[in-house]
Structure formats: structure tokens, C-alpha cells
Amino acid sequence: MSAAGPPEGARPLRREDVRGAASAPSAEEAWRSAFELRDGELYAEGVPLATIAERYGTPCYVYSRAALEGAWRSLDAALAGVPHLLCYAMKANANLAVLDVFARLGSGFDIVSGGELARVVAAGGDPGRTVFSGVGKSAAEMRQALDAGILCFNVESAAELERLDAVARERGRVAPVSFRVNPDVDPKTHPYISTGLKESKFGIAYGDALPLYRRARAMPGIAIRGIDIHIGSQITDLAPYREAARKVLDLVDRLAGEGIRLEHVDLGGGLGIRYRDETPLPVDEYAAMLRGLFEGRAEKLVLEPGRWLVADAGVLLTRVEYLKPGPAKHFAIVDAAMNDLLRPALYDAWHGVDPVRPRAGPGSRWEIVGPVCESADFLAHDRVLDLEPGDLLAIRTAGAYAMAMSSNYNARPRAAEVMVDGDRAHLVRRRETASELHAAESTLAR
């Protein structure tokens, strides 16, 4: 079901609401305090999750503004003294309210499509602080980005460079570029999210980069601005970061020796978080490594954090529809499904599951599954929970790659999104209706 509006007293977020940095919590403090039990009930900041479910229905994504701000500020503060730009990798969560929160903090953005650029502009973000990544930019997207005045294109192939030069000259413009170089470094993460190996579709081979920079220097539609790498996601070890950064900085120095001086070095994102038993990199250790690498250098550091900023800032609220005990497994059938959270089906990913109003009983082992007609439709395996039909569950770390990867499979309307700011809840995306799903379609003429 969909609610008519925000809770009484709520108002839209406004630009003047930016809080002072002095009062900002650390990232860990922010996410740990954003969703916590109070008197036996799970809250989002100052709002009971049960109240949100009652008003906006389930399934429903709930985000904490305090967690978003705390994560961004903690990384920004850790890099104090190093000239830098944080460009939020918005593919993790592109809701306008999320982008708005980061834009107010002065964040840049990392985009991978023209649609994402349109969202940056709609949310009040600065195209001049936006980098355009991705291996398949169309000519139309290039024109759109040139007209918007983006910071740079992260070029990923010689063919893309040739097209961009032609489009820029046709437009009467010069395209600012950074080459995404593939350093062939193993990030030791899931193979689907490893992007810096030579087998990957991403980036320009390390050995091909220098000759391509030489070609780019002679192109009238191209202005060389930087260099970019991104070796993967959910990384919890400093070693691959350090190895990749050193390789790219060596290339930067070789370019400088040929008179090609870069304005920035973009080391991508990929910082890991804790879903279950991972040990994430302490942000201070990560920042200390970067500070050591960039001390005395003229280039600005650019980073593209995504999941690290938003994952812990969100939960997916879902309600138990049926309990179905069986001889081999017990199934708790909930109203959220793989179309609402694809990561478990796609990566066999683990997400924490917490009852909104937990009971003290010993519980049973449950498979948390949805109503979609697929055996892969599960949200969690083998969780010990004391459940009854109608119970509310909060699926943790759903701020990243949940709504962003959701779909209308089985003709299911996508869920509502709510942003909590202190003791106020804001509906930042209403639930879709079934009629909207086929509004753009037509039947054959009779």
C-alpha cells in the first residue's frame, strides 16, 4: 500500500538544512546509531520502523540522513590536508534525496549514463564536479555531458576516444578526458565485482595507456586532464589499493617526463563494508596510505566511493506473510522479493535480518523467501528467528544496490523509499502502482 503523505510535521529537505561539520558523527557512529533498538523496538534515528511501515506500507526502503552525512564527512575529514574531490558513485543508490544530501556537502558524482547525469542536475548537483565512467558511452550521452560541462570523461578505450574527439569537434567543444587504465591488480574480491584484471571489459590495458595519451595529445577535440583506475568493489585489504596506486603514479610520472602533465589522479572506489564477518579497512588507515602516496605531488586526488557511503544507511522493511514449516527447511514467506533486493540471488550475498519487534524466544531456523516465482527468490538462508505471521523484518545494509537494482519482475510495483531525518520521515519516492507498469504499452489494433 502507499501512504498519502509524510508524517505530520514533516517537510521537504532544504538546502539550508546542512548541519555543521563540527557536530558530525563518524561513519561508524552514524550507521551504528541510525538503526537501533529502543525499548524493544527498532528505530530509524528518531522514528520507529513500525510507524514507517504502517504509514507507507511494505516492502519499503528506509534511509538515514545522519548515516549518509556521517560517512561522507568522515572520509572527507580523514583526507584533510590532501587536495581531493569525493565523487559519489551514484549507481549504488540514485534516489534524488540521497544525491541531494551529498550535493549539499559539496560532493562530486561518478556517473555511468546520461540518465544518471540528468539525476545529478535534478538533485542540484554540480556537473562540473562530475566524472563520466563506463565502457559504452553513446554519442548522445557524450553531447549531453559536453553541454552540461562535466569535469571529465573517464575514457575506457581507443575507440571511445576517437568517437569523443569527433563528437566534441562537431559540437564546437573540447572534451576533458581522463583515461581509465587497467593496472591488472587482483583486488581479492567476488569475481563479478573485480574490475582491474586484464581479463576485465573495463579500462585501457596498462601497456597501451602511454601510446594512447600521445595520440590524445594531438587530437583537437580532446583536453587531457587526468588518469583513472578502479580495481573492484568490496575490497578489505590495503595491499591491492597500494599496488594499483603505485603503478598508476609511475605512469603519471612517465607522462610528465613527456610533457603530459595531469591535473588529477582518480583512484576509484571499492572500499568494503561489513555485511557479515568482513573486516573493513579503517578509514584512517586508508587515508594514511593515500596521504603517503600523494605527499608532495601536484595532482589532485579524486575518489569514487559508493557502497561505503550508503549501504549501512539503509534497510529494507518487509512483512512476514506466511510461515511454511517443512521436513527439510522452514520457509518464512515475506512481501519483499528478489526484485526488491537482487544481491542474494545474484551474488549469494549475505544481509543481516532483524525483527523490528524481536521476541525473547529461542526461535527456529528460517529461509527468508519472497513471492516471486523463482527458486532463486530468497533474501536470507538459515536465520534463527522467533517469527509469527505479520511480523516486520529489517533487511540490513540495503542502502546500496537494492532499489538501484530493483525491477518489476512478475509485474511487481517497485517499493516506496523513505528518508529519515531525526524525528521526521520524508517520502522520497512513492510506491509504483500496477497501472503505471503498463501505461507505456499498447495492445494490437483490432
Side-chain angles (χ1 to χ4, degrees):
M1 60 181 287
S2 177
E8 185 177 355
R11 59 173 174 78
L13 299 177
R14 301 182 304 192
R15 295 258 172 229
E16 58 267 31
D17 286 339
V18 180
R19 301 185 179 91
S23 63
S26 71
E28 185 172 357
E29 289 169 342
W31 81 256
R32 285 188 183 279
S33 63
F35 300 98
E36 64 179 3
L37 282 172
R38 301 183 190 174
D39 299 322
E41 184 168 0
L42 197 58
Y43 275 63
E45 296 190 30
V47 182
L49 285 175
T51 299
I52 294 174
E54 180 180 353
R55 187 170 292 270
Y56 298 111
T58 56
C60 175
Y61 306 97
V62 183
Y63 310 127
S64 160
R65 180 181 180 180
L68 295 170
E69 290 182 340
W72 194 95
R73 283 193 171 118
S74 69
L75 182 55
D76 186 54
L79 292 168
V82 179
H84 67 276
L85 174 64
L86 301 183
C87 291
Y88 167 55
M90 60 179 285
K91 69 174 184 171
N93 186 324
N95 182 278
L96 291 187
V98 173
L99 304 184
D100 178 36
V101 167
F102 290 137
R104 296 181 200 192
L105 295 170
S107 183
F109 296 91
D110 169 46
I111 63 172
V112 293
S113 74
E116 288 191 344
L117 176 56
R119 281 183 167 269
V120 168
V121 174
D126 182 359
R129 297 167 72 84
T130 298
V131 297
F132 195 162
S133 303
V135 300
K137 306 176 191 72
S138 69
E141 288 174 322
M142 290 175 176
R143 296 185 192 102
Q144 176 191 1
L146 284 167
D147 291 347
I150 66 167
L151 176 64
C152 76
F153 294 85
N154 287 341
V155 171
E156 303 214 22
S157 67
E160 181 189 337
L161 179 66
E162 296 284 351
R163 174 184 286 183
L164 183 57
D165 175 54
V167 169
R169 288 186 285 109
E170 164 202 294
R171 212 73 174 168
R173 299 180 182 274
V174 177
V177 303
S178 170
F179 287 179
R180 178 173 176 177
V181 176
N182 188 326
D184 194 25
V185 171
D186 187 354
K188 308 296 184 184
T189 187
H190 193 286
Y192 285 8
I193 51 178
S194 296
T195 59
L197 294 168
K198 61 185 177 183
E199 296 88 356
S200 172
K201 73 174 183 178
F202 297 101
I204 296 162
Y206 188 83
D208 295 338
L210 184 55
L212 197 58
Y213 270 106
R214 292 172 183 147
R215 283 176 57 188
R217 177 168 52 182
M219 291 180 169
I222 298 297
I224 298 170
R225 294 287 184 259
I227 194 167
D228 170 51
I229 59 171
H230 179 65
I231 61 173
S233 187
Q234 191 54 10
I235 302 169
T236 58
D237 184 2
L238 273 181
Y241 274 128
R242 185 181 292 108
E243 179 186 355
R246 284 175 173 166
K247 287 186 74 170
V248 77
L249 289 175
D250 178 67
L251 182 54
V252 171
D253 292 338
R254 290 164 62 195
L255 287 166
E258 297 199 11
I260 303 174
R261 300 191 180 278
L262 306 183
E263 297 175 5
H264 71 257
V265 175
D266 185 341
L267 295 184
L271 276 175
I273 65 163
R274 177 178 290 112
Y275 284 102
R276 186 178 189 181
D277 53 7
E278 301 90 341
T279 303
L281 285 170
V283 67
D284 289 341
E285 291 184 18
Y286 175 64
M289 178 201 71
L290 295 174
R291 185 173 289 104
L293 290 168
F294 279 80
E295 185 176 4
R297 300 196 66 93
E299 304 87 9
K300 174 182 284 189
L301 169 66
V302 177
L303 296 176
E304 301 167 1
R307 179 199 317 263
W308 191 86
L309 293 177
V310 296
D312 287 315
V315 299
L316 172 60
L317 270 183
T318 184
R319 193 177 295 276
V320 177
E321 295 281 7
Y322 304 102
L323 296 180
K324 184 179 177 182
K329 293 183 177 180
H330 298 334
F331 296 95
I333 302 169
V334 299
D335 60 5
M338 65 185 292
N339 74 295
D340 303 298
L341 182 61
L342 183 60
R343 295 188 71 257
L346 183 62
Y347 302 126
D348 198 24
W350 196 98
H351 285 258
V353 180
D354 291 335
V356 169
R357 290 172 174 159
R359 298 185 181 84
S364 301
R365 294 188 178 275
W366 295 100
E367 300 289 301
I368 312 299
V369 301
V372 159
C373 192
E374 294 284 350
S375 296
D377 180 25
F378 68 92
L379 301 178
H381 289 308
D382 198 31
R383 304 301 172 85
V384 178
L385 298 165
D386 187 358
L387 297 180
E388 295 290 344
D391 283 356
L392 281 172
L393 301 177
I395 313 297
R396 295 275 189 170
T397 51
Y401 303 109
M403 182 57 169
M405 298 176 76
S406 66
S407 73
N408 297 122
Y409 189 45
N410 283 193
R412 287 171 53 85
R414 286 182 294 175
E417 293 177 280
V418 173
M419 177 83 75
V420 174
D421 181 13
D423 60 359
R424 296 171 297 176
H426 306 266
L427 181 64
V428 295
R429 181 187 172 106
R430 65 173 175 79
R431 187 179 310 280
E432 290 177 336
T433 65
S435 61
E436 288 175 323
L437 304 191
H438 58 257
E441 302 173 34
S442 62
T443 59
L444 296 176
R446 296 186 182 278

